Amino acid sequence: MVDEREAGRQHDLLGVAGGGAADGGGESLTTVLVAFGANVLIALAKSVAAIVTGSASILAEAAHSWADAGNEVFLLIANRRAHKAADELHPLGHGREAYVWSLFAALGLFVAGAAVSITHGIQELITPEPAGHYVIGYVVLAVSFLLEGVSFLQSTRQAKSEARSLQRDLIEHVLATSDPTLRAVFVEDAAALAGLVIAAAGLLAHQLTGSSVPDAIGSILVGVLLAWVALLLINRNRRFLVGQEADPRVRAAALQALLALPEVARVTYLRLEIVGPRMISVIGDVDLTGDDTESHVAVRLRALEAKISASPAVAGAVLSLSAPDEPSL
């Protein structure tokens, strides 16, 4: 027999059914704001350094940071619009808008970051340009690495906290989370740190050899890295837009929470679909306890749906009665 405290704990598990803590929307906003502030400062510094040094790698990194800063605007819009309340035309809320705006951000990263970096690298190979004032370039790259590190630590801290609640590895959670803003900031910051290392190596090789070829190759490598990140983010947003089941561990927790409710004798069907960041819809077939008349059963089903929908992670619940011959889950 499950006591009330255990039943309450299991029901609270629905709070992470969307892929993270139920209050994660506020933390995601903080993560995006930190990333936006860092990227604007970094983009300005890199742009100045690119003009002064003439380095193709640093120019590629400047394009990268401006693309990231622009993407954060899309992510802020995604975070705001996804939390609009449900209405008559959108009974499950507006959660999927987060994936639409995050998709725009990923496309922006591909065009404004990857394409520009690769194009400029190729132009540098065809028409080499001299570089100078290397110390300024190294200082800017070092400061940029520090600022990107601050943003990366914020996204890592949020991701680790959510990953623990779902018993996932950090990278597994970043790829699987229903929060596209967290995934975008984490992956873009990781790519930015790697890009800074590539740019520093290209600049150093340019200084040591006197040839702009390593610098140009660094620019192309940064672009390839950004293209890979953009395609990864585009694919993840596409999968959530077309409809995706919740993680099997979340489904198991939700099933356990349902069975812990005193009204539910057994569950024969359960579908949890992600409809936004940390938001799911619940569709299921249940067998209620007791042997009520049809009218009483309908009232009990509606009350049970209302109880499930009261969870901050549940956008809506639709329950039907199980047939007697249907096997229990």
Side-chain angles (χ1 to χ4, degrees):
M1 189 73 175
V2 181
D3 63 30
E4 289 185 6
R5 284 188 303 174
E6 178 65 11
R9 186 190 70 82
Q10 291 172 343
H11 189 261
D12 288 343
L13 287 172
L14 286 172
V16 297
D23 62 351
E27 183 142 21
S28 291
L29 178 60
T30 301
T31 298
V32 175
L33 288 173
V34 169
F36 177 73
N39 278 316
V40 169
L41 293 175
I42 292 168
L44 288 170
K46 286 179 182 176
S47 297
V48 173
I51 294 171
V52 172
T53 64
S55 168
S57 294
I58 295 181
L59 183 60
E61 274 299 301
H64 177 184
S65 294
W66 282 118
D68 281 353
N71 291 347
E72 257 75 70
V73 175
F74 283 119
L75 296 179
L76 288 170
I77 296 173
N79 192 74
R80 179 179 179 83
R81 293 188 67 87
H83 289 88
K84 286 177 62 178
D87 54 43
E88 190 173 324
L89 294 177
H90 304 88
L92 296 180
H94 297 75
R96 284 197 173 104
E97 281 217 44
Y99 307 120
V100 175
W101 291 97
S102 298
L103 185 64
F104 291 160
L107 289 170
L109 181 64
F110 188 86
V111 175
V116 169
S117 298
I118 293 173
T119 301
H120 184 73
I122 293 173
Q123 290 174 341
E124 184 72 14
L125 286 174
I126 298 172
T127 311
E129 295 184 6
H133 302 285
Y134 295 102
V135 173
I136 294 177
Y138 295 133
V139 170
V140 168
L141 290 176
V143 172
S144 299
F145 195 91
L146 179 63
L147 292 174
E148 289 286 5
V150 170
S151 177
F152 185 64
L153 287 176
Q154 165 62 24
S155 60
T156 300
R157 186 182 68 81
Q158 181 186 349
K160 278 185 175 179
S161 174
E162 295 182 4
R164 280 195 299 269
S165 70
L166 287 166
Q167 299 178 336
R168 289 172 174 164
D169 295 332
L170 176 62
I171 300 302
E172 179 191 7
H173 177 67
V174 169
L175 294 176
T177 180
S178 62
D179 183 353
T181 58
L182 171 61
R183 177 170 38 256
V185 173
F186 181 95
V187 174
E188 288 176 6
D189 284 346
L193 292 173
L196 288 168
V197 173
I198 294 172
L203 185 63
L204 178 61
H206 194 160
Q207 181 182 10
L208 294 177
T209 64
S211 170
S212 63
V213 172
D215 204 10
I217 292 175
S219 177
I220 293 172
L221 290 177
V222 169
V224 171
L225 175 64
L226 296 183
W228 178 80
V229 168
L231 290 173
L232 172 68
L233 295 175
I234 289 170
N235 184 53
R236 292 306 304 170
N237 284 298
R238 176 192 62 80
R239 291 174 64 177
F240 282 107
L241 275 172
V242 299
Q244 181 168 314
E245 277 266 12
D247 185 283
R249 284 165 291 192
V250 172
R251 186 176 185 278
L255 177 60
Q256 188 179 10
L258 280 173
L259 291 172
L261 296 173
E263 304 97 320
V264 178
R266 63 193 187 101
V267 178
T268 60
Y269 174 79
L270 181 63
R271 175 174 172 78
L272 307 178
E273 183 174 335
I274 297 172
V275 294
R278 304 176 185 81
M279 295 295 294
I280 59 171
S281 69
V282 179
I283 300 174
D285 293 342
V286 298
D287 189 8
L288 300 179
T289 55
D291 191 19
D292 283 343
T293 61
E294 183 177 342
S295 58
H296 288 163
V297 167
V299 171
R300 292 178 64 191
L301 274 178
R302 298 295 86 77
L304 186 55
E305 289 172 350
K307 179 183 285 188
I308 295 171
S309 298
S311 169
V314 178
V318 177
L319 300 177
S320 302
L321 288 178
S322 302
D325 59 344
E326 290 178 337
S328 300
L329 294 180

